Amino acid sequence: MNRVGVLIFPGTNSEEETLRACRAVGLDAELVPWNAALDDVREFAAYVLPGGFAYEDRVRAGAIAAHDRLMGVVREGARAGKPVLGICNGAQILLESGLVPELDGATLVQAGFTRNAPLGKYRSTHVHVKLAIAPGRCALTATLPAGTILPAWASHGEGRLAARPDVLARLGDEGHVAFVYCDAAGRATPESVPNGSALGAAALVNARGNVLALMPHPERDAWTFMHHDDARERARGDAAGMLAASGGIALFAGLAAAVARGASA
Amino acid sequence: MILCIEISLSIPDNEARTALATLQRLGVRAERLERADLYRCDVEDARARELPDVLRGFETVFNPNKHELRVREGDAPLTGEVWVDEIGGNARDAGPVRLSGRTLPGVRSLERFIAWRLFAAPDVPAGPDVVTAATETLLCNPAFQKAIR
């Protein structure tokens, strides 16, 4: 069973790219609207929460969607060890729902992605992120080589990880920072962080290792034609090369492997 | 002097409606919810009278077609009200106080909040237990926001 539900809330806007990336790695992915029958939603083996502006980011980014009825099913699934991937707004929802980081096993709001620093403005820029944990720490990265560097697009106004100092210390010490921003060579420099995120964090994983909240969009750099480097230029005139899966697709391959194992990390 | 200026929507506030519906679904006993942007300013006495009109001239802050501006009495939350602000969000560099990139004449300091006003009945402010429940379930993320109530 490799059915994956790509969840849509009012205001979600990256579901088609996400669906395509899931299908490209062999997952039987379907779009699942917020008003779907919950028993049907429970049948999926994994869930992906795409980017966008769920409920127009009312109150705070991800805050309303975190309390949506659909998230009750995601909570059940996460507790049962199903893989869950949140991208951008999906990541914000996962933190607002308390599914990540789940310090001490508590599903409480312990961290958040808030306004970018220093200007507090929306940014759309190409980034690289590096796997900062042992691959096996997270179900979705278990098949990636250590230190994997993924290209992605950061496209958010609220992507700066924020939490109390003691929580931030634990996020670092206890292996919750799954990906950090880096340059193309994998160096985690302050300049490579597009939003002032604490710990340079681009993604957090929960304690159990089956829920990953990733701010930049790997699905927007999952095919050669989406690349922001000379790979795209080299493929010019070669339709098959231009449409070849690459880059960010590796994370979806990791999701597919996790679904195939049917288990958490 | 301290001047507290509130800017709220004069048209239906969809954000407040969504927040109220979510709170009610989560079991918070609120009947009505209002939301406003709040600017608490420490302003020179001589410039205080003109400050509301200065803000009315900031088109990214105040649109006369959909906003109402009023100077509040007092400078603390009312009964049934919680003010939410990002931790460190009101820190600023030295120099003139600015809002939306423009200088606020005579203003020594400026704090911005979102004010949420909860009602237990149409015109009855909610009690502290309801305000606390609403704050902790939805209105404030304690990881990076603080609530004043």
Side-chain angles (χ1 to χ4, degrees):
Chain A
M1 177 169 136
N2 66 350
R3 288 182 70 220
V4 172
V6 177
L7 309 186
I8 308 171
F9 301 100
T12 296
N13 70 10
S14 296
E15 69 272 22
E16 288 295 339
E17 303 96 310
T18 306
L19 185 73
R20 198 173 303 138
C22 288
R23 288 177 173 168
V25 296
L27 290 166
D28 180 11
E30 297 173 32
L31 296 180
V32 180
W34 67 96
N35 56 355
L38 297 184
D39 283 341
D40 293 343
V41 182
R42 289 191 178 91
E43 295 301 312
F44 290 99
Y47 303 100
V48 182
L49 285 70
F53 302 89
Y55 292 98
E56 287 186 333
D57 282 351
R58 291 175 185 177
V59 183
R60 280 182 313 281
I64 299 292
H67 296 289
D68 193 280
R69 56 197 276 284
L70 214 50
M71 288 304 294
V73 179
V74 175
R75 282 174 201 276
E76 289 172 21
R79 272 199 297 270
K82 292 180 181 179
V84 179
L85 171 62
I87 301 168
C88 196
N89 192 224
Q92 294 164 336
I93 294 169
L94 289 177
L95 266 63
E96 284 284 346
S97 70
L99 282 169
V100 177
E102 249 183 353
L103 295 178
D104 301 319
T107 312
L108 300 169
V109 180
Q110 296 166 324
F113 289 116
T114 186
R115 281 185 302 168
N116 294 344
L119 298 177
K121 292 186 175 174
Y122 175 89
R123 280 201 74 185
S124 178
T125 185
H126 191 261
V127 297
H128 290 85
V129 298
K130 182 167 70 173
L131 185 59
I133 52 174
R137 164 74 178 81
C138 172
L140 289 77
T141 62
T143 54
L144 298 179
T148 290
I149 299 167
L150 297 177
W153 283 89
S155 178
H156 52 247
E158 293 94 4
R160 174 172 59 89
L161 174 67
R164 294 196 322 261
D166 59 315
V167 172
L168 285 177
R170 290 188 60 188
L171 293 179
D173 294 345
E174 298 175 20
H176 289 277
V177 181
F179 285 93
V180 293
Y181 292 101
C182 65
D183 62 18
R187 292 180 296 256
T189 62
E191 296 75 27
S192 57
V193 182
N195 49 26
S197 189
L199 309 173
L204 294 183
V205 62
N206 68 337
R208 183 173 180 159
N210 62 320
V211 183
L212 180 68
L214 172 67
M215 275 312 299
H217 292 263
E219 82 283 6
R220 294 187 189 172
D221 200 334
W223 284 271
T224 302
F225 73 89
M226 294 170 152
H227 279 342
H228 197 245
D229 58 24
D230 59 356
R232 182 173 57 181
E233 293 308 311
R234 287 197 302 274
R236 204 169 280 283
D238 170 12
M242 202 64 107
L243 294 171
S246 62
I249 205 74
L251 189 69
F252 293 90
L255 171 64
V259 172
R261 287 195 308 277
S264 50
Chain B
M1 66 181 294
I2 303 296
L3 206 58
C4 216
I5 297 175
E6 176 182 305
I7 297 178
S8 57
L9 283 171
S10 55
I11 59 174
D13 187 341
N14 291 332
E15 182 160 0
R17 281 185 70 100
T18 305
L20 178 63
T22 302
L23 288 171
Q24 289 173 335
R25 199 163 44 74
L26 295 171
V28 176
R29 296 184 177 185
E31 181 76 19
R32 189 155 71 87
L33 178 62
E34 294 177 353
R35 180 183 63 102
D37 292 321
L38 213 59
Y39 301 88
R40 188 164 65 179
C41 311
D42 178 7
V43 59
E44 295 167 10
D45 290 357
R47 310 301 293 265
R49 271 186 73 168
E50 69 186 84
L51 187 59
D53 284 336
V54 169
L55 284 184
R56 284 191 182 93
F58 286 15
E59 63 276 5
T60 56
V61 170
F62 179 80
N63 177 343
N65 296 307
K66 63 175 187 178
H67 286 132
E68 290 171 344
L69 183 150
R70 72 181 179 100
V71 178
R72 289 170 57 123
E73 291 179 17
D75 61 354
L78 305 168
T79 303
E81 199 172 54
V82 58
W83 294 2
V84 177
D85 168 38
E86 193 159 323
I87 295 170
N90 282 316
R92 66 177 189 89
D93 298 330
V97 174
R98 299 169 75 86
L99 179 63
S100 290
R102 293 159 73 173
T103 301
L104 289 170
V107 173
R108 289 183 286 254
S109 72
L110 167 70
E111 295 172 286
R112 300 174 62 173
F113 303 93
I114 301 292
W116 298 95
R117 205 154 36 235
L118 293 120
F119 295 85
D123 292 311
V124 181
D129 52 337
V130 171
V131 176
T132 299
T135 302
E136 293 180 353
T137 47
L138 181 66
L139 300 179
C140 176
N141 180 331
F144 60 88
Q145 293 180 313
K146 64 176 186 286
I148 301 173
R149 51 183 184 263

